[in-house]
Amino acid sequence: MSTFVYDFAEGNKDQKDLLGGKGANLAEMTNLGLPVPPGFTITTEACRAYLAAEESRDHATPGDGGAHGALPDGLAEEITEHLERLEETMGKKLGQADDPLLVSVRSGAAASMPGMMETVLNVGLNDESVQGLARQSDSERFAWDSYRRLLSMFGRTVLGIDGDLFEEALEQRKEKAGVEADLELGAEDLQGLVRGYQEIIEEHSGRPFPQDPREQLDLAVLAVFGSWNTERAILYRRQERIPADLGTAVNICSMVFGNLGDDSGTGVAFTRDPASGAQGIYGDYLQNAQGEDVVAGIRNTVPLADLEGIDKTSYDELLGIMQRLEEHYLDLCDIEFTIERGKLWMLQTRIGKRTPGAAFRIAGQLVDQGLIDLDEALHRVTGAQLAQLMFPQFDPAADRELLTKGMNASPGAAVGKAVFDSETAVEWAGKGEKVILVRRETTPDDLHGMVAATGVLTSRGGKTSHAAVVARGMGRTCVCGADALDVDVRAGHFSAPDGVVIEEGDEISIDGTTGEVFRGSVPVMDSAVVRWFEGEADSDEDDLVAAVARLMEHADGVRRLGVRANADNPADASRSRRFGAQGIGLCRTEHMFLGERRELVEHLILARSDEERDEALAALLPHQRDDFTGILEAMDGLPVTIRLLDPPLHEFLPGLTELSMKVAVADATGRPSKRDARLLTAVKRMHEENPMLGLRGVRLGIVIPGLFTMQARAILEAAAARKQAGGDPRPEIMIPLVAAVQELELVKTDIIEVAREVEQETGVDLEFKVGTMIELPRAAMTADEIAEAAEFFSFGTNDLTQMTWGFSRDDVEAAFFSQYLEKGIFGVSPFESLDQAGVGALVQQAVERGRATRPDLHLGVCGEHGGDPDSIHFFERAGLDYVSCSPFRVPVARLEAGRAVADRGASGD
Ligand code: ADP
Ligand code: MG
Ligand code: MG
């Protein structure tokens, strides 16, 4: 049988999964010899056992937070055993009438879920022991204050009674006593309040408040177990992607009292500023207070530094402990403490949350202090934090009027005129206005509005709502779930809590990184980190930039994965090079067929003879060659992977409806255009039910003679020209959508032929590679055959995801992804982060098979997953040679590639 209960002295900080974060750290502090009130921890395993029994007992009513059922087998006995030991240590019994031992019953899961689950203080008080407490402490007021706190916490948390009832009773009592603050209530007022609370409990739970201390304890433990499954906890876990089945531990901790008078109090402290990372004394302190009073904002706290003047001995001791904790945890710690009549007690510590900027600064400081090395420092920051530092930001010095704060669903800083429907968004954006689409929530019908808007603001829904999922997918700034806003779409306005009303056309600013919503237009500035990447600022101008630069350098030094960029034009190519790209992993050529060149594509499609087709291709050739020359020049000396034309040709033609109308109107007005009529026939002929699965990629190259050879010629002529100009071009020709080696062989033979011609014509020796994308399951499965003809593979994980799941991103993301996320079918969109079990398995398969045929096969990935942190760690493990992503994500990929290597070292695989 497993052990369900551990004494604080029996655990340590690495046992978070079993003891929860709070329990593990209480154990660690106990073993460091710090003043922690004695206690014990009931494991998460016990919680899981309880929840499993709950579920099989009652399928119909999922947990509502109240306590049902019973403790798992054996738990009650173990609690008894540990409780007796605790009573021995403390020299008093739980709830003992003349001198009661009181305990807190505290939730604490492995992952931090701030404010999500419950804690009950002062367990063990009843109508008798409250008298004992009063005598022992020599304070009637204190005893009744503690009791009323127990009653309200127990009533709310354990018995599921609406907390407002207790709040109202407190307010009434204050009014009656003619006082403002709870502190001014005397012992008698508080005693009256206790009676009132007991009535509320009896009325709303149908039974009197349990007087038996042990029954209080057991019920509180069950309630903490049950609080794992409150609606808000479930919601929070879904948003933070915390697994639903971990359960919470429960800590039973002997009470210490900050509410014993002015020589007592409670506070929170940080060993460094979590906002900036600066070292100093950060925290808040509140005299004569207990538990959550500090953060509840019921009275004004004083800055922690003021504690020096209030209680110098405790202050000095606290500072000493803070330093010890930092040196022990080697990181920013946050701390809860209480002072009871001049004696300091530590109630909690954990590695503190911090802003992205603070994360980089602190990592650097810890290295400077010799506390950690640079490898470890890489683990203290994430690519996601770096990405946040790279978004444009609202100028911190600028004036702003905060309207409200919602959820930070998709990062960035967006300013625009508020519009309340998609039609207006599209219309105004079409006139060059910047708009922010404001909705209660979005639906698939809002897609065109979201595309047109610079930002999206909703008053409902969380981070997996439609608005959030779609905005992230398209890189739009989004704040969602700003539920303090009253959005009236019909009337075309919304109102904020202070009565401010924003009408259609009024400017607002939204910060997708913080969730803040501002009135008016707040000036936006480029991030300092980006200016440094761009070479516009020195790294020593700013301590944040210096910290980032140092870790980037280290990541580059340790990483094995190369990082390339997806870039289609010289400007993007140059930028990605400044951002540290080591080549181009994907240069798409379809953009080169748009604009004025669309007409040339029409000629190609409408060609009625080989001559006409050749003419059309010949007209495209010089344009393509110029494009490639520019890109090869920008990336001189670095590999440039150019993908031959991928999308179906009809994408370059006018839409069927539009063209039909045009032809019909022309016919009706007696001015028919022959060309349009022919075009219409072509559009009809080329129409596909499923274009994604139709005539595209290598299939085009095979079906339209001369198309791929024209593109290959343009690439190779550009390379020859660059060489003649003294450059070092390194083109890699990539064939898309190959499913069978035969396809690749056909196209490759033609390309080699063209290369020979170009070499003869120019007298230049050409070096280039021919390879393929792996983006179809069949290609992955037959990678051994395909590697016979391919010198490199580049995994097109966007298409590979679509083809593996059998859904088209453009269609499904807006249509049902938010429901899939809500229902937990996947925790994150497979387009955001690689589906490692499915798509990842195909990648691994292809790597193995491809390398079996050709050991020096060069392997990369060019889907957007190449810039996603989790996916990059997977690609490192899969043994790819490089990842490629959009220029802006190149630094993130460099950092994560470095972290991925350090990971491998740490886990030993
Ligand atoms: P949370 O996880 O929400 O911080 P805690 O379990 O830490 O909840 O407890 C809530 C509050 O009660 C905190 O301020 C904590 O410091 C205080 N508290 C918890 N246990 C005790 C105790 N044994 N004595 C005094 N205060 C306590
Ligand atoms: Mg706490
Ligand atoms: Mg593709």
Side-chain angles (χ1 to χ4, degrees), residues 22 106-107 119 292 336 347-348 350:
K22 200 179 284 170
R106 318 170 64 185
S107 59
T119 281
E292 307 281 60
E336 288 174 8
L347 288 173
Q348 190 173 339
R350 68 189 152 200

Side-chain angles (χ1 to χ4, degrees), residues 262-291:
D262 279 350
D263 56 354
S264 305
T266 182
V268 294
F270 302 88
T271 58
R272 291 166 201 248
D273 183 352
S276 71
Q279 281 176 282
I281 314 289
Y282 295 92
D284 301 293
Y285 183 69
L286 188 60
Q287 274 171 284
N288 201 1
Q290 186 176 51

Side-chain angles (χ1 to χ4, degrees), residues 250-272:
V250 187
N251 304 289
I252 313 293
C253 183
S254 46
M255 283 303 300
V256 291
F257 301 101
N259 53 337
L260 267 168
D262 279 350
D263 56 354
S264 305
T266 182
V268 294
F270 302 88
T271 58
R272 291 166 201 248

Side-chain angles (χ1 to χ4, degrees), residues 16 26 121 337 396 673 724 863:
K16 283 202 182 74
L26 281 167
L121 302 181
F337 67 94
S673 149
Q724 280 166 336

Side-chain angles (χ1 to χ4, degrees), residues 56-93:
S56 58
R57 190 169 27 244
D58 191 356
H59 273 290
T61 54
D64 56 12
H68 323 256
L71 296 174
D73 279 350
L75 179 56
E77 291 78 5
E78 278 191 60
I79 292 179
T80 305
E81 206 180 290
H82 284 264
L83 183 60
E84 280 170 359
R85 234 188 281 165
L86 180 64
E87 289 174 334
E88 215 165 284
T89 310
M90 305 300 291
K92 45 186 165 185
K93 293 205 175 303

Side-chain angles (χ1 to χ4, degrees), residues 645-651 685-704 708 736-739 743 775-776 799 802-803 808 811:
L645 196 65
D646 183 47
L649 279 185
H650 51 77
E651 281 198 7
R685 170 169 45 82
M686 293 170 79
H687 173 78
E688 292 173 320
E689 292 296 339
N690 287 307
M692 196 182 59
L693 302 176
L695 178 58
R696 50 173 289 219
V698 68
R699 302 161 193 170
L700 280 176
I702 289 171
V703 169
I704 301 181
F708 274 16
L737 218 73
V738 165
E743 294 170 311
E775 50 186 342
L776 293 172
D799 260 316
Q802 302 197 91
M803 299 298 184
S808 120
D811 294 323

Side-chain angles (χ1 to χ4, degrees), residues 30-268:
T30 302
N31 290 319
L32 280 174
L34 302 184
V36 176
F40 52 87
T41 301
I42 302 169
T43 63
T44 54
E45 215 179 307
C47 178
R48 287 193 293 273
Y50 166 81
L51 293 172
E54 265 294 273
E55 201 165 298
S56 58
R57 190 169 27 244
D58 191 356
H59 273 290
T61 54
D64 56 12
H68 323 256
L71 296 174
D73 279 350
L75 179 56
E77 291 78 5
E78 278 191 60
I79 292 179
T80 305
E81 206 180 290
H82 284 264
L83 183 60
E84 280 170 359
R85 234 188 281 165
L86 180 64
E87 289 174 334
E88 215 165 284
T89 310
M90 305 300 291
K92 45 186 165 185
K93 293 205 175 303
L94 183 71
Q96 182 178 314
D98 60 342
D99 182 12
L101 166 66
L102 304 185
V103 296
S104 59
V105 179
R106 318 170 64 185
S107 59
S112 157
M113 295 172 53
M116 285 303 136
M117 287 177 300
E118 301 294 351
T119 281
V120 184
L121 302 181
N122 306 332
V123 167
L125 278 177
N126 56 26
D127 294 348
E128 252 186 288
S129 63
V130 68
Q131 310 278 1
L133 185 65
R135 274 193 301 279
Q136 282 297 329
S137 62
D138 201 18
S139 169
E140 289 271 333
R141 186 192 182 280
F142 157 72
W144 291 107
D145 184 48
S146 301
Y147 198 16
R148 64 103 185 168
R149 287 171 191 267
L150 168 66
L151 289 169
S152 66
M153 277 185 270
F154 195 93
R156 241 187 323 121
T157 305
V158 182
L159 304 174
I161 297 170
D162 184 358
D164 287 346
L165 294 169
F166 299 106
E167 280 306 306
E168 281 158 23
L170 176 62
E171 287 309 314
Q172 281 169 12
R173 183 61 56 173
K174 284 198 277 192
E175 235 166 78
K176 206 166 141 199
V179 301
E180 297 267 309
D182 57 334
L183 216 49
E184 298 168 81
L185 289 174
E188 254 163 52
D189 297 321
L190 291 167
Q191 193 174 353
L193 198 55
V194 161
R195 272 196 303 276
Y197 280 6
Q198 286 184 330
E199 277 160 25
I200 291 173
I201 287 176
E202 184 150 10
E203 181 184 338
H204 290 270
S205 74
R207 51 171 288 191
F209 172 72
Q211 292 289 316
D212 175 6
R214 178 58 196 263
E215 189 188 358
Q216 293 173 9
L217 177 67
D218 288 349
L219 286 174
V221 169
L222 286 172
V224 173
F225 283 164
S227 71
W228 179 258
N229 276 336
T230 56
E231 227 164 83
R232 59 181 185 153
I234 291 170
L235 202 73
Y236 181 84
R237 283 197 294 273
R238 220 179 261 150
Q239 270 158 16
E240 300 298 316
R241 305 201 177 118
I242 298 171
D245 53 2
L246 299 179
T248 178
V250 187
N251 304 289
I252 313 293
C253 183
S254 46
M255 283 303 300
V256 291
F257 301 101
N259 53 337
L260 267 168
D262 279 350
D263 56 354
S264 305
T266 182
V268 294

